[in-house]
Amino acid sequence: MNNSVAFRTILYKEIRRFTRIWPQTLLPPAITTALYFLIFGKLIGERIGAVHGVSYMDYIVPGVILMSVISHSYSNVVSSFYSTKFQHHIEELLVSPVPNWVILSGYVCGGIARGVMVGAVVAAISMLFTQVTVLNWPITLTVLILTSTLFALAGFINAVFADSFDDISIIPNFVLTPLSYLGGVFYSLAMLPPIWQIIAQGNPILYMINAFRFGLIGVTDVDIALAFQMTAGFILFLSGLSLFLLHKGIGIKN
Amino acid sequence: MGNSVKIRRFRRCPRISHLFLVKGIINHPMKALSIQNLKKTYNNGFQALKGVDLEVDSGDFFALLGPNGAGKSTIIGIISSLVTKSSGSVTVFGHDLDKASGQAKCCIGLVPQEVNFNQFETVKNVVLIQAGYYGIPRKQAMAQAEHCLKQMDLWDKRDTVSRRLSGGMKRRLMIARAMVHQPRLLILDEPTAGVDIEIRRSMWQMMQEVNQQGTTIILTTHYLEEAESLCRNIAIINDGQIIEKSAMNSLLNRIHIDHFVLDIAQPLAVAPVIEGFGIELVDSHWLHVAVPKSQGLNRLFEELSRLGISVMSLKNKSNRLEQLFIDLVQ
């Protein structure tokens, strides 16, 4: 069994899926981002002034990019894998000799591909409003890949347990979006009252956004090493859980 | 090597080549499928399989019949890894489904009851993607996809989005998809359900061709005429247990009574009484006659002529296998 062919087949299928429907997948984040920069950056941001020595517009760029990466890497996998279950063509995969780790890798890499592509679109839009340049490429790219991997895995697990299309929108709407907005996209931790600073540190997305911000503009509210360890830990845990679910056939086999 | 010995090299799964003797010195060296004490209890407590034992010879065209809910689809689901078994073992061409699932899966092609391909993909992509899942490199996959689509008479539709195909074409596409990795065992789960008689007959021909090329076929169907005309061996399952397993011919030979309907020339008010035959009046022009094999039709016609009853035509009341099937599962 040639696993690389199977992996490329799944990845190619996934990339084709979201590029074929680009007005639904790649265009909306471009418009949303332009609105963020216009409203929060340009109109409100000028009254806020500098944060950690950089303009407010520059400060929010990393968070806005990573917020899009998080939501799109998650939604790509959750919608694709759930649709595969819903339309029963998951059976094509289950009857074939593709190992579970290849199935998982294919879908997760599809999510990463969409996350990175959306991230690039948002970054390109941000260039219309700011002049942010990448300060540390290795950290920026590593955080980008790790974050999209983590949320692609989370999307996969959501899809495994989902029984209806409602189930695939609950986590993005009621968990991911609030955590992203409260994860320091538009503000620094130092701007919060002390008690909220402590509460906010329980939000894992805060660490990823700050690590990405550190890579882009050299500013962070958290320990970068801790951010990497936390993200890697979550990836290992979710990978193990996903493989366990696939092995047991939970939510997939009868 | 004599002319009667044909050796064919089958590339059944990537990197697994089999030297497989179709005819000649060794016939069917191993079982295509071996199921032992297979049990399945669903989460709701329903016991779908209660210890099934079944063997299918390599190269066979095998019918698995049973009423709705008997356990046919559960068996097929377990063989094709879509359903998790509760206990028992399944071996496909010597590969245990638990210990060597990759090799076992390489041997199997499944045509399910319901359409289960991505209906937004083109016909060609449906087949190519499946080939990719079996690790077949793109160039080889293209050649095999072309071969399978031509065999199923779908090559002209290769760039059509699959949801635009007719019902019969969708069924043929599922067969082409199942054949793309050249499986040694093809499982057809009611492949002709809901298709018109013309397409059904063309699909029978295709299935026979595939079987003649050396592929073992397991067929489930509710069209018993289909099973009778295509299959060499048969198993009947009812209530999660195999209740009959034999060669089709020997099973049909067990039928001791044939049922006929006679179209008679003159109307009758009551059914005639002839010793040895069960005769009922369906209406004034039709008689239903149960003919034991020991009696034969000649004596029936002699007796009817003697009574002055002219027979215009006759037909079998039902398919022979259908009679047997009903007797067995009731």
Side-chain angles (χ1 to χ4, degrees):
Chain A
M1 173 67 197
N2 191 335
N3 289 331
S4 72
V5 173
F7 169 76
R8 276 184 277 130
T9 302
I10 299 171
L11 180 58
Y12 169 75
K13 178 176 74 76
E14 285 300 289
I15 292 173
R16 270 192 66 229
R17 192 190 75 87
F18 72 76
T19 51
R20 190 169 51 198
I21 51 170
W22 63 269
Q24 294 173 46
T25 53
L26 300 178
L27 194 58
I31 294 167
T32 312
T33 308
L35 289 170
Y36 278 142
F37 287 124
L38 190 68
I39 297 166
F40 291 103
K42 196 80 179 166
L43 303 179
I44 299 173
E46 284 177 359
R47 299 181 183 196
I48 295 174
V51 182
H52 289 299
V54 295
S55 74
Y56 185 71
M57 182 80 93
D58 287 359
Y59 185 81
I60 67 170
V61 166
V64 169
I65 293 173
L66 206 67
M67 194 166 67
S68 300
V69 170
I70 286 170
S71 73
H72 284 267
S73 53
Y74 188 96
S75 64
N76 191 74
V77 182
V78 74
S79 62
S80 175
F81 197 74
Y82 179 70
S83 298
T84 304
K85 268 174 59 176
F86 182 75
Q87 295 175 54
H88 295 286
H89 49 93
I90 182 92
E91 292 173 7
E92 292 178 335
L93 269 172
L94 296 179
V95 300
S96 66
V98 187
N100 291 334
W101 66 267
V102 174
I103 296 176
L104 183 65
S105 307
Y107 275 93
V108 168
C109 287
I112 294 169
R114 177 157 157 200
V116 169
M117 213 173 281
V118 167
V121 169
V122 173
I125 296 293
S126 72
M127 291 301 114
L128 301 174
F129 296 89
T130 67
Q131 297 300 318
V132 170
T133 53
V134 179
L135 203 69
N136 187 324
W137 276 104
I139 287 179
T140 304
L141 291 178
T142 308
V143 175
L144 181 70
I145 299 298
L146 288 179
T147 305
S148 50
T149 304
L150 171 55
F151 286 95
L153 283 164
F156 185 86
I157 292 166
N158 187 172
V160 165
F161 284 111
D163 280 328
S164 70
F165 279 99
D166 288 341
D167 294 344
I168 66 171
S169 61
I170 288 172
I171 301 287
N173 288 335
F174 298 106
V175 179
L176 279 188
T177 305
L179 285 182
S180 297
Y181 278 101
L182 298 172
V185 174
F186 297 104
Y187 55 83
S188 163
L189 212 56
M191 293 165 139
L192 298 175
I195 181 69
W196 284 106
Q197 287 188 24
I198 294 167
I199 292 170
Q201 286 178 40
N203 178 1
I205 293 179
L206 175 88
Y207 295 85
M208 296 165 211
I209 286 175
N210 273 283
F212 193 62
R213 184 175 281 135
F214 180 78
L216 267 176
I217 59 175
V219 172
T220 179
D221 289 329
V222 300
D223 179 4
I224 299 302
L226 179 62
F228 275 105
Q229 286 165 8
M230 185 179 280
T231 311
F234 273 120
I235 288 173
L236 285 175
F237 172 71
L238 295 183
S239 298
L241 180 59
S242 302
L243 289 172
F244 173 77
L245 293 171
L246 279 171
H247 176 68
K248 289 287 177 188
I250 294 168
I252 300 167
K253 291 185 184 181
N254 205 333
Chain B
M1 193 179 297
N3 290 336
S4 62
V5 180
K6 294 179 184 173
I7 298 178
R8 296 184 57 179
R9 184 175 290 276
F10 285 75
R11 189 171 171 77
R12 296 293 185 182
C13 199
R15 297 182 184 178
I16 302 172
S17 293
H18 300 270
L19 196 62
F20 184 65
L21 300 176
V22 175
K23 292 175 184 174
I25 301 165
I26 303 170
N27 265 325
H28 314 313
M30 64 170 66
K31 297 288 178 192
L33 176 69
S34 178
I35 293 175
Q36 282 167 354
N37 200 22
L38 190 63
K39 292 181 182 173
K40 171 66 185 178
T41 305
Y42 286 99
N43 290 339
N44 60 7
F46 174 67
Q47 196 177 5
L49 300 178
K50 298 171 181 172
V52 168
D53 293 298
L54 186 66
E55 286 192 332
V56 177
D57 287 333
S58 174
D60 200 357
F61 203 136
F62 190 90
L64 180 62
L65 306 183
N68 287 333
K72 302 185 298 291
S73 293
T74 302
I75 291 181
I76 287 173
I78 292 170
I79 298 168
S80 50
S81 305
L82 298 176
V83 176
T84 311
K85 64 183 163 65
S86 300
S87 64
S89 72
V90 177
T91 307
V92 182
F93 283 101
H95 304 296
D96 188 290
L97 207 53
D98 292 328
K99 295 171 190 158
S101 70
Q103 285 106 315
K105 284 175 167 184
C106 274
C107 296
I108 300 171
L110 173 68
V111 181
Q113 268 182 43
E114 305 291 337
V115 171
N116 72 343
F117 50 74
N118 185 348
Q119 303 213 33
F120 296 99
E121 290 289 357
T122 62
V123 167
K124 192 169 69 181
N125 270 347
V126 167
V127 181
L128 284 176
I129 287 171
Q130 189 72 4
Y133 291 161
Y134 283 84
I136 302 170
R138 186 82 175 171
K139 194 175 170 187
Q140 192 186 341
M142 290 288 274
Q144 286 178 201
E146 182 178 344
H147 171 75
C148 293
L149 289 173
K150 281 181 175 169
Q151 192 175 16
M152 293 298 135
D153 206 15
L154 283 171
W155 183 242
D156 291 344
K157 299 281 182 186
R158 61 189 178 278
D159 294 321
T160 304
V161 176
S162 54
R163 70 174 180 276
R164 298 192 195 285
L165 296 179
S166 67
M169 286 178 181
K170 283 178 181 171
R171 298 251 169 220
R172 294 201 317 257
L173 175 55
M174 289 200 291
I175 298 176
R177 181 187 62 178
M179 294 293 298
V180 73
H181 63 286
Q182 295 177 291
R184 300 169 74 182
L185 172 62
L186 183 64
I187 300 170
L188 302 160
D189 194 2
E190 298 186 31
T192 55
V195 301
D196 66 43
I197 187 66
E198 192 183 347
I199 294 170
R200 199 183 307 160
R201 287 189 185 280
S202 74
M203 286 173 74
W204 291 359
Q205 196 181 344
M206 287 169 190
M207 288 183 236
Q208 280 176 317
E209 282 170 14
V210 168
N211 179 243
Q212 281 159 10
Q213 286 162 11
T215 304
T216 309
I217 293 182
I218 295 176
L219 172 75
T220 78
T221 179
H222 285 296
Y223 301 111
L224 301 182
E225 176 199 0
E226 184 170 279
E228 188 178 337
S229 62
L230 292 173
C231 301
R232 290 190 284 279
N233 290 293
I234 182 172
I236 296 176
I237 182 169
N238 191 31
D239 195 25
Q241 290 172 309
I242 300 288
I243 56 169
E244 185 60 56
K245 193 166 51 179
S246 68
M248 184 69 78
N249 285 340
S250 65
L251 187 67
L252 293 174
N253 283 337
R254 283 193 228 159
I255 299 171
H256 299 300
I257 299 176
D258 280 327
H259 295 262
F260 296 94
V261 175
L262 309 184
D263 178 11
I264 50 177
Q266 297 86 20
L268 290 175
V270 290
V273 178
I274 303 173
E275 194 185 334
F277 298 92
I279 304 179
E280 292 171 14
L281 196 66
V282 180
D283 65 31
S284 58
H285 279 279
W286 292 95
L287 289 176
H288 169 220
V289 186
V291 181
K293 279 193 173 166
S294 56
Q295 299 290 340
L297 281 171
N298 281 349
R299 205 188 130 235
L300 173 68
F301 286 121
E302 283 167 13
E303 293 291 333
L304 287 172
S305 297
R306 196 175 55 77
L307 294 169
I309 299 170
S310 303
V311 178
M312 306 301 289
S313 66
L314 95 164
K315 62 180 180 181
N316 264 100
K317 190 185 176 207
S318 61
N319 172 272
R320 292 184 302 162
L321 183 58
E322 195 172 302
Q323 284 175 34
L324 201 68
F325 179 79
I326 291 167
D327 291 343
L328 284 167
V329 300
Q330 272 178 348

